[in-house]
Amino acid sequence: MLYALCFLLFMVGLYGVLVKRNLIKIIISLIIMESAVNVFIVMVGYRKDGIAPILNKTMQHQELVQRAVDPVPQALVLTAIVIGLGVTAMTIAIAMRLYERFGTYDIQEIKRLKG
Amino acid sequence: MLEFIGLLLLFMVIAAIVAIETRDLLAAVISVTAVGFGVIIAFFYMRAPDVAIVPIVVEVLILVILIRATLRVGLRTFIGNRDFFGMMVTMAMLAVIFLAGIRVFNDFPRFGVPVMARIVDAPSRFYIANGLKETGAANIVTAVLLDYRAYDTLGEATVLFTAIMGAIAVIRKKARKKTTEPEVSEWEE
């Protein structure tokens, strides 16, 4: 059920990428898709009544082994978030350059002006 | 607990629909940031504090960059979507992808059962069992990020550096002067 909601969020982003004409709206849709995928990957590693994979002094090591959530998806999502920032900055830079060149964010008008 | 994450996801879906469908670009930018902060709260509730701290900075940066792109003098708003035939094909494809995806999620394990619990020799189990002994890090996520998969982090830094360099190169107004041109610089005149 929660996976399906996450997938619905991804589909909303995909709809925006495919249907919208405004370049800013398309970039926003890309950000939404990225958020949905990140939440989904962390969800895959979640354990019911789990604890964060951090050992503290009051805890036995065996308790961590039995109850910790999966650390590998969290590490990978941490990487993906930072790369997402770089990708978003790159797309916005290209969009701003297109605006300076054509004076609009409308992709159909840009296509028409270019011929 | 489960209901809370469900409500949070529902809120994120609604904010995403608002962000995509509203006509005001500034409102859309703020709505997408609302989606991002919903993601952060979901990370906290799913016991991922390390992952939850980083996107706070990332969301604020994206908000600032998007507002910079949105604040234009005389920015025209246009309504309507792409042409009709393309819309129909797109909607049909979206419906097909959605139905196929829902069938896939039926085969997934229940929410709350991690993937590593079903695989006997999953690397996650090894990391949790031996992380403190082998790396000396009490935080297993940090141990994975900076020790077991350190090359991954190096690649991440490289990708981030390259993307930011590309953005700067695209956005820069003046090109650098070529050295073969005759030397007429401002301070010589």
Side-chain angles (χ1 to χ4, degrees), chain A residues 5 15 17 22 27 55 57 62-63 68 72 87 93 100:
Chain A
L5 267 174
Y15 163 81
V17 169
N22 194 331
I27 293 170
L55 195 68
K57 280 179 185 165
Q62 193 57 37
E63 190 188 352
V72 172
V87 170
E100 283 173 14

Side-chain angles (χ1 to χ4, degrees), chain A residues 20-91:
Chain A
K20 287 295 156 188
R21 279 164 60 191
N22 194 331
L23 267 176
I24 297 290
K25 285 283 178 67
I26 292 175
I27 293 170
I28 282 173
S29 309
L30 277 176
I31 298 173
I32 289 169
M33 284 166 76
E34 188 198 310
S35 305
V37 171
N38 287 341
V39 171
F40 175 71
I41 295 176
V42 173
M43 264 184 184
V44 166
Y46 179 71
R47 189 194 289 270
K48 196 162 185 296
D49 300 324
I51 55 174
I54 300 171
L55 195 68
N56 58 27
K57 280 179 185 165
T58 59
M59 195 196 306
Q60 293 297 317
H61 189 256
Q62 193 57 37
E63 190 188 352
L64 183 79
V65 173
Q66 279 170 358
R67 290 185 57 202
V69 300
D70 199 340
V72 172
Q74 297 190 12
L76 295 184
V77 164
L78 206 56
T79 309
I81 286 170
V82 177
I83 288 179
L85 172 67
V87 170
T88 308
M90 186 79 200
T91 48

Side-chain angles (χ1 to χ4, degrees), chain B residues 157-174:
Chain B
T158 314
V159 169
L160 185 65
F161 180 73
T162 316
I164 299 298
M165 290 307 283
I168 290 173
V170 167
I171 243 176
R172 189 173 54 186
K173 284 262 162 55
K174 274 196 231 168

